[in-house]
Amino acid sequence: DAGVTQSPTHLIKTRGQQVTLRCSPKSGHDTVSWYQQALGQGPQFIFQYYEEEERQRGNFPDRFSGHQFPNYSSELNVNALLLGDSALYLCASSLLGGTYEQYFGPGTRLTVT
Amino acid sequence: AQRVTQPEKLLSVFKGAPVELKCNYSYSGSPELFWYVQYSRQRLQLLLRHISRESIKGFTADLNKGETSFHLKKPFAQEEDSAMYYCALSGTGANSKLTFGKGITLSVRP
């Protein structure tokens, strides 16, 4: 089991563009959470998906949207990119109703120029 | 609102010295508390959680509900403990999102 995988590793986009980040959860996990980690900060919760629906959402604008597929993988979409969206985006998977332990992927480094 | 505060950004100690990484939290209810660690060029991983009461790699953390603290301790630091440490909090049930502190860099010198 490769654990949580994310793609791409790095991404450079221009202000105003749109981006899609992808995540495959750890085998056996059904819940995917997304976090944004700005430089020098701890990860900040964006949203969580379970059974293909958004279950919880953090304090992020509607420009941030997501999707979960029947195989539990997930996408994070960000529209109308701003310079401030430059960050490391982390995906974490867990088992709903389990021990709440979340397993993190390596992250996608997004740079907006 | 849930909040995690790690008051220090950096702790530098010599090998064999005791370590205490501070964490305070704010949550109305009974939270789950965690310490996550990120070693150089590795992904974020769970170090320990309060509910398991385990000692992992010599680290322990006690939940003090009166002081709303969850400090991480190790009696004798090792060089391989050098890493970034994050304290995190989660609610239970429907509120399982993690709220992280800003993290602290632990540097253990030989």
Side-chain angles (χ1 to χ4, degrees):
Chain A
D1 180 17
V4 179
T5 60
Q6 292 185 244
S7 64
T9 305
H10 297 89
L11 205 51
I12 299 174
K13 290 286 189 178
T14 304
R15 270 183 304 176
Q17 286 189 316
Q18 179 264 345
V19 69
T20 297
L21 310 181
R22 295 176 176 82
C23 171
S24 290
K26 181 178 168 65
S27 178
H29 284 180
D30 57 12
T31 303
V32 173
S33 302
W34 286 92
Y35 294 83
Q36 181 195 66
Q37 186 173 19
L39 204 60
Q41 303 293 318
Q44 191 171 358
F45 177 76
I46 303 175
F47 42 52
Q48 184 182 82
Y49 277 84
Y50 170 70
E51 288 191 340
E52 303 178 48
E53 290 192 1
E54 186 181 286
R55 188 168 171 269
Q56 290 185 82
R57 189 178 183 91
N59 189 24
F60 278 80
D62 292 344
R63 298 187 296 109
F64 288 77
S65 63
H67 188 76
Q68 186 179 33
F69 299 93
N71 67 352
Y72 306 118
S73 66
S74 177
E75 288 182 350
L76 164 65
N77 300 293
V78 187
N79 294 322
L81 284 167
L82 304 174
L83 295 179
D85 295 332
S86 295
L88 180 68
Y89 288 85
L90 297 170
C91 169
S93 74
S94 55
L95 186 61
L96 197 72
T99 61
Y100 305 109
E101 179 175 350
Q102 296 190 19
Y103 290 79
F104 283 82
T108 294
R109 172 72 62 188
L110 172 64
T111 301
V112 182
T113 62
Chain B
Q2 39 191 93
R3 187 184 305 121
V4 174
T5 303
Q6 293 181 253
E8 299 154 334
K9 284 191 171 182
L10 170 68
L11 179 64
S12 183
V13 301
F14 285 106
K15 176 183 172 182
V19 167
E20 182 179 46
L21 307 182
K22 292 184 168 56
C23 173
N24 289 90
Y25 68 90
S26 172
Y27 185 75
S28 54
S30 295
E32 295 244 9
L33 275 296
F34 307 84
W35 276 97
Y36 278 81
V37 61
Q38 188 166 29
Y39 300 102
S40 179
R41 289 184 290 278
Q42 293 187 28
R43 64 184 66 189
L44 199 59
Q45 58 185 285
L46 180 66
L47 179 62
L48 57 78
R49 52 188 302 179
H50 88 273
I51 202 168
S52 64
R53 294 180 175 274
E54 290 177 303
S55 172
I56 307 293
K57 299 184 179 182
F59 284 97
T60 58
D62 290 320
L63 179 61
N64 185 322
K65 292 185 178 180
E67 295 182 358
T68 59
S69 68
F70 188 56
H71 302 329
L72 183 68
K73 300 177 184 179
K74 184 169 183 177
F76 307 105
Q78 302 299 314
E79 290 179 67
E80 55 266 30
D81 296 329
S82 296
M84 191 76 177
Y85 291 80
Y86 294 94
C87 182
L89 172 158
S90 167
T92 54
N95 183 17
S96 61
K97 69 176 184 182
L98 284 170
T99 298
F100 286 86
K102 291 187 177 182
I104 179 170
T105 300
L106 174 62
S107 173
V108 182
R109 292 169 287 172

